[in-house]
Amino acid sequence: MTELMMLTSVLDRAVVADESIPCRKDPELWFAESPADVEDAKQLCRECPVREQCLAGAMDRAEPWGVWGGELFVSGVIVARKRPRGRPRKNEIAA
């Protein structure tokens, strides 16, 4: 719930209509466990009018996790992709 409160505080300062801010519709998506859902959230962020402010605020706060400003934070660091749960394969599967 704390993550949602921080997201709300960033967005409350935004001077735009709620319908133009994608995370207002489904805030849980920005803290999803599924890599596909995380990619969906990142895609929705790309056209958000407060994307830059959201990302700057997340970096200032060193957000522990979630999608902020179109970037995925894990342990306070921006990472490119969310890895699925479980152990990685020992060998690559031949195509």
Side-chain angles (χ1 to χ4, degrees), residues 3-80:
E3 294 87 8
L4 294 176
M5 290 187 325
M6 286 186 281
L7 180 59
T8 301
S9 69
V10 168
L11 298 175
D12 284 344
R13 291 188 297 249
V15 185
V16 293
D18 279 353
E19 61 271 0
S20 66
I21 302 176
C23 55
R24 289 279 193 181
K25 296 175 184 114
D26 183 13
E28 305 267 331
L29 182 63
W30 277 256
F31 302 99
E33 288 294 323
S34 161
D37 288 345
V38 168
E39 290 304 313
D40 288 346
K42 288 169 61 175
Q43 180 63 37
L44 289 169
C45 282
R46 287 192 180 97
E47 297 177 22
C48 181
V50 294
R51 179 181 179 271
E52 291 177 16
Q53 299 95 316
C54 181
L55 179 58
M59 291 172 63
D60 288 345
R61 294 185 307 273
E63 282 296 336
W65 70 291
V67 175
W68 296 88
E71 300 292 340
L72 174 62
F73 283 76
V74 175
S75 300
V77 177
I78 295 175
V79 296

